[in-house]
Every structure is written in C-alpha cells, then in structure tokens.
Amino acid sequence: FPVTIANNKHNNHNNNNEQQQQQHKQAQDVLDTLSIAIEKNLIGRDDPLILRSDNGSQMRAHVFAQGLKNLPAEHEFIPVRTPNKNAHIESFFSVYDLHLQHQYFWDLTDAYKWTIDFMDFYNNRRIHGSLKMSPDKFTMRTELYGGQDYAQAI
C-alpha cells in the first residue's frame, strides 16, 4: 500500500481520487458478492431479504446503492456507533478471526472452501455460548419438545 506525502493541492486531489476509486471498487465487490449469493440461493422479489449493515464507506457508496436497486433486497443501516445492533455478525467475525489465525491457503479457491466449511460449522455444529449446545441440537430439541416452550425454558 503506497503512502503519499503531499504538500500541494494537486497531490491531495490525486490521493482523494485514489481513495474514491478504491472505495468504488470495494463497494462493487460487495455488490457482486451479494448478487452471487442471491442468485445461488434463488432469492426473488417476493422473499423478505433485508441487508443490515454498518455505515462503512462500501455500504454508503453510490455504486452500491444504485446496484442494490436491481436486487431483491432492502438495505437497512444500523445506527452509528451501535455495534450491538449487529451483534450476531460481530460475534461471527470474532470467532471466524480466531479460527482463521491458524489457517494457510494455497489460493483463493482453498480459502473459499475453508470459509464455506467454517460457516457450516459456525451455523450448525459449534457449541453456542448461551445455549451450551449446537444450533442443530437446539433446533432438534425445540421441535421435539414443543417449540417456543423449550426455547423459553433454557
């Protein structure tokens, strides 16, 4: 990552343009990833998909907002400085980062496959801190023992 130290307006302007181009590219990457996920999961206009995000530059970018209009998703921002409103994703990335520290990948395909396996582990087999059991086991017990009553009893 090049660092530019500038004293004149021309260099500052170029640096701002580079930052804007990078933010535009990152926003387009997020939009492309979201489009692929929507397509792979066969999500249509009648499905209630809500994309909740923080207020990062990628999510606020014009290119992202315009591209999102073509997708079957509603965008919802969490309030500024309230990460607890997005606690589930904060928790996911905390655990993801912990597991990722010990991984080495040969290429992006290898990293992608590992991430897909990790998401399956996180969503289905990982022992949930407050449940003291995996989400799969919790779902099975909830269905077996009367749904809401079991969930409230825990």
Side-chain angles (χ1 to χ4, degrees), residues 41-97:
N41 289 285
L42 306 173
I43 296 171
R45 294 261 176 225
D46 295 332
D47 298 312
L49 179 64
I50 298 174
L51 173 66
R52 179 182 293 163
S53 72
D54 62 12
N55 293 277
S57 59
Q58 299 91 344
M59 298 300 185
R60 290 229 172 256
H62 179 74
V63 67
F64 185 77
Q66 291 300 86
L68 198 58
K69 289 179 181 179
N70 299 320
L71 297 175
E74 182 181 325
H75 194 187
E76 174 182 287
F77 290 100
I78 63 169
V80 177
R81 291 186 289 281
T82 57
N84 58 321
K85 299 281 186 180
N86 226 6
H88 60 288
I89 199 64
E90 297 288 341
S91 174
F92 170 82
F93 279 114
S94 173
V95 175
Y96 181 76
D97 186 48

Side-chain angles (χ1 to χ4, degrees), residues 9 14 17 31 35 43 88 90 102 105 108-110 115 120 131 134:
K9 291 180 183 178
N14 285 343
N17 277 344
L31 187 60
S35 297
I43 296 171
H88 60 288
E90 297 288 341
H102 306 287
F105 306 106
L108 281 175
T109 301
D110 191 27
T115 299
D120 177 61
L131 297 177
S134 70

Side-chain angles (χ1 to χ4, degrees), residues 7-31:
N7 290 327
N8 64 43
K9 291 180 183 178
H10 178 72
N11 283 343
N12 284 335
H13 179 71
N14 285 343
N15 194 24
N16 287 340
N17 277 344
E18 288 173 16
Q19 287 176 337
Q20 287 176 344
Q21 288 173 352
Q22 183 63 25
Q23 288 174 349
H24 178 89
K25 182 180 177 345
Q26 290 172 346
Q28 188 62 54
D29 288 345
V30 172
L31 187 60

